[in-house]
Amino acid sequence: MVEEIAATLPDNVLEVIFSYLDLHDLRNCSLVCKNWYRFLNDENNDVWRLHCIRKLAEEALKSDLLSSVPTYKAKLRAFYHAWNPNDCSRNVYIKPNGFTLHRNPVAQSTDAARGKIGFRHGRHAWEVIWEGPLGTVAVIGIATKEAPLQCHGYVALLGSDDQSWGWNLVDNHLLHNGDSQGNYPLLNNAPKYQVGERIRVILDCDDNTLSFEKNYEFLGVAFRGLPDKRLYPSVSAVYGNTEVSMVYLGPPLDG
């Protein structure tokens, strides 16, 4: 009986009801009946728009930063996967837009940050945009919760132990366990990273691999044999006042 009533509620009524619910409740509502699932599966309806307005900074919504996540629901998902202000070096803070970290100009320090959500299953993609100078070391990749977030000196912190894997954009070297794992990508005269370019990071927890794309070109698998542990989007930086943004995209699109 309840399901029959739920199935007959018009969209404008559902919109008002759902606008008062949190994300956990909305997830449960999508399981009630086909009509509610249909309504909530529209990622651009007013329910998701209102949640976006409440949670996301106006600066983020109006900028080009979220251009790769065109729907309101996708923008909201990206926000909940963004840099974690409680899981970064003390020399790093997350800007009001919620997606960009800023490294303070602290001498002789390397500083890192992790995303809010780590992954152990499925396939996930996110974009990293380095929006300031790279300095001598600028590493993007993944890390477990055990990886350190700050150390003395200017070093490749991400990839410095067995809990993190990184790609140094400055010299195109892969790093893990404190050692260089070779050049990447495996191209003759591979171009260096240009500030502002979007790097797409692809973590495949089913195949235990980490790969990268740049300018929509797949650069190949960077790391294989990743452990069965929760892995977080991560970066480490050394340059004062540099900024790095991260936007979670969801499952990667093949081809």
Side-chain angles (χ1 to χ4, degrees):
M1 181 69 177
V2 174
E3 185 173 333
E4 291 178 2
I5 295 174
T8 60
L9 291 174
D11 285 1
N12 62 323
V13 173
L14 292 177
E15 181 182 306
V16 173
I17 295 172
F18 291 157
S19 66
Y20 289 99
L21 302 182
D22 62 24
L23 295 183
H24 177 74
D25 291 334
L26 289 176
R27 191 179 299 113
N28 290 334
C29 286
S30 69
L31 304 176
V32 169
C33 64
K34 290 182 179 178
N35 187 42
W36 288 18
Y37 174 82
R38 171 198 59 79
F39 183 83
L40 290 171
N41 204 43
D42 176 2
E43 297 198 354
N44 253 334
N45 66 31
D46 276 352
V47 171
W48 299 118
R49 182 181 65 82
L50 289 171
H51 275 280
C52 260
I53 291 172
R54 290 172 188 160
K55 286 290 182 182
L56 275 65
E58 184 178 3
E59 172 194 350
L61 287 172
K62 289 186 174 181
S63 72
D64 291 333
L65 180 60
L66 301 181
S67 61
S68 296
V69 281
T71 69
Y72 289 121
K73 187 176 180 181
K75 294 181 197 299
L76 199 62
R77 186 187 300 119
F79 173 77
Y80 280 103
H81 285 80
W83 298 126
N84 188 344
N86 300 312
D87 196 16
C88 58
S89 165
R90 63 180 180 272
N91 299 321
V92 165
Y93 69 86
I94 310 306
K95 296 183 69 175
N97 70 9
F99 295 90
T100 304
L101 67 80
H102 180 101
R103 182 192 176 271
N104 290 323
V106 179
Q108 291 300 315
S109 179
T110 300
D111 305 285
R114 277 185 283 260
K116 295 173 185 170
I117 296 178
F119 312 108
R120 195 167 185 172
H121 305 286
R123 303 172 70 227
H124 306 272
W126 59 93
E127 287 183 339
V128 176
I129 309 102
W130 212 286
E131 300 183 73
L134 301 181
T136 53
V137 187
V139 188
I140 64 174
I142 54 174
T144 69
K145 275 289 188 182
E146 287 72 41
L149 293 172
Q150 192 274 333
C151 72
H152 180 73
Y154 301 131
V155 300
L157 179 57
L158 193 64
S160 65
D161 60 10
D162 63 355
Q163 300 298 312
S164 59
W165 297 257
W167 174 25
N168 185 3
L169 300 177
V170 176
D171 62 11
N172 280 341
H173 281 175
L174 296 176
L175 305 162
H176 175 59
N177 210 16
D179 295 321
S180 172
Q181 307 292 306
N183 293 329
Y184 183 88
L186 295 176
L187 301 170
N188 292 327
N189 300 316
K192 294 293 179 68
Y193 178 80
Q194 301 297 313
V195 170
E197 286 184 312
R198 291 177 181 249
I199 298 287
R200 186 164 296 188
V201 187
I202 303 168
L203 174 62
D204 189 332
C205 296
D206 300 327
D207 204 30
N208 304 115
T209 59
L210 183 70
S211 308
F212 298 92
E213 290 181 5
K214 186 168 72 168
N215 299 327
Y216 301 102
E217 178 184 359
F218 183 66
L219 301 179
V221 173
F223 295 99
R224 301 181 186 275
L226 297 175
D228 183 19
K229 300 182 72 172
R230 194 167 297 279
L231 301 168
Y232 294 77
S234 303
V235 295
S236 67
V238 301
Y239 198 91
N241 293 321
T242 198
E243 297 185 339
V244 188
S245 297
M246 189 261 286
V247 179
Y248 179 76
L249 304 175
L253 298 176
D254 294 321

